């Protein structure tokens, strides 16, 4: 079971709802919880055992800003979604100063508001950036248009390795989602997470 965290902000629920929409297209079983309920080691072990028995593939945990340091040191996170500049600075400082290794952690960041010049895959942790600038791994269409006929265009600029070790080559997806009703950054955050967990975003166009 993969364990992911998302630092809570005003757009957290929108991102989670979109992630769930994408994962459902691949029939991936996901569970959601809050770190506040899982701080006790015994509670954590019982909870993980229970959802493992239900076939949960990915557990996503909402983390309050006040719990970031505790959560990073307690949870065996595979992925962390960070959208706020100040929260990123806090996460960055914790990771740099910690004696714990975070080499297996992938941090998903909005690179339009957060810069990651001090991080490399080899030395600290893996960073997956989304946004509208040239440094983003995942962005909108290669033509610069974020949507067409109400469908959202998503472009993987660089090849990447998924959480399951599969290589994804640069490509473009046409996502069947109401892009007019959602913040494009929230869609990109959710799309980045989905691609990392081997979701073919083109399946959003299939009729169920």
């Amino acid at each position: 079971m993969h364990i992911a965290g998302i630092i809570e902000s005003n757009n957290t629920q929108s991102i989670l709802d979109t992630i769930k929409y994408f994962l459902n297209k691949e029939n991936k079983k996901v569970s959601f919880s809050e770190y506040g309920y899982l701080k006790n080691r015994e509670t954590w072990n019982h909870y993980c055992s229970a959802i493992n028995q239900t076939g949960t593939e990915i557990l996503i945990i909402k983390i309050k800003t006040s719990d970031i340091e505790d959560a990073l040191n307690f949870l065996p996170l595979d992925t962390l979604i960070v959208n706020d500049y100040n929260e990123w600075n806090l996460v960055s400082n914790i990771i740099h100063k910690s004696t714990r290794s975070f080499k297996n952690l992938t941090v998903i960041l909005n690179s339009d508001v957060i810069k990651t010049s001090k991080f490399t895959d080899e030395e600290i942790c893996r960073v997956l950036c989304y946004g509208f600038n040239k440094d983003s791994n995942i962005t909108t269409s290669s033509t610069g248009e974020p949507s067409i006929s109400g469908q959202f265009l998503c472009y993987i600029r660089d090849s990447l390795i998924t959480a399951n070790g599969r290589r994804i080559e640069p490509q473009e997806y046409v996502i069947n989602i109401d892009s007019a009703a959602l913040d494009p950054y929230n869609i990109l955050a959710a799309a980045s997470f989905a691609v990392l967990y081997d979701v073919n975003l083109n399946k959003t166009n299939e009729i169920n």
Side-chain angles (χ1 to χ4, degrees):
M1 180 174 67
H2 295 284
I3 299 170
I6 181 169
I7 299 176
E8 290 192 63
S9 62
N10 293 334
N11 58 0
T12 296
Q13 196 54 53
S14 176
I15 294 172
L16 292 179
D17 289 343
T18 310
I19 286 174
K20 185 175 182 179
Y21 170 77
F22 290 149
L23 295 180
N24 283 344
K25 290 295 181 178
E26 290 275 13
N27 296 315
K28 291 182 180 290
K29 189 159 187 179
V30 59
S31 294
F32 299 91
S33 188
E34 297 182 18
Y35 180 66
Y37 300 139
L38 304 170
K39 292 182 178 182
N40 177 273
R41 177 66 65 181
E42 184 176 359
T43 302
W44 166 253
N45 290 337
H46 284 315
Y47 180 75
C48 288
S49 177
I51 62 174
N52 262 319
Q53 291 177 29
T54 66
T56 293
E57 299 173 70
I58 303 169
L59 169 62
I60 303 178
I61 302 169
K62 292 190 288 187
I63 302 169
K64 294 185 183 300
T65 303
S66 58
D67 288 328
I68 291 175
E69 183 168 10
D70 189 45
L72 280 172
N73 288 316
F74 179 79
L75 297 172
L77 291 174
D78 300 298
T79 308
L80 181 65
I81 302 173
V82 184
N83 291 297
D84 180 86
Y85 177 80
N86 292 326
E87 291 166 0
W88 167 245
N89 281 339
L90 179 58
V91 169
S92 172
N93 287 334
I94 294 168
I95 291 177
H96 272 100
K97 294 177 181 178
S98 178
T99 57
R100 179 179 179 177
S101 173
F102 289 94
K103 288 185 178 181
N104 294 323
L105 173 68
T106 298
V107 182
I108 297 175
L109 298 171
N110 180 339
S111 60
D112 286 346
V113 297
I114 300 168
K115 303 304 177 185
T116 60
S117 59
K118 294 182 180 179
F119 275 74
T120 68
D121 288 358
E122 295 79 14
E123 294 180 1
I124 306 295
C125 70
R126 184 182 179 196
V127 174
L128 180 61
C129 296
Y130 66 88
F132 294 92
N133 67 76
K134 63 180 179 60
D135 296 322
S136 301
N137 306 109
I138 296 181
T139 186
T140 51
S141 167
S142 54
T143 65
E145 294 296 329
S147 63
I148 182 171
S149 300
Q151 294 177 309
F152 191 83
L153 303 179
C154 179
Y155 177 56
I156 300 179
R157 180 178 279 122
D158 307 304
S159 62
L160 59 88
I161 304 299
T162 70
N164 294 312
R166 191 165 68 93
R167 177 177 290 275
I168 304 293
E169 297 300 333
Q171 58 188 285
E172 190 163 272
Y173 299 100
V174 180
I175 303 173
N176 187 20
I177 194 168
D178 186 3
S179 58
L182 293 172
D183 186 320
Y185 284 113
N186 294 349
I187 300 176
L188 283 175
S192 300
F193 186 93
V195 168
L196 183 64
Y197 284 92
D198 289 301
V199 171
N200 179 358
L201 294 176
N202 285 324
K203 286 195 172 183
T204 62
N205 293 313
E206 297 178 357
I207 299 175
N208 294 324

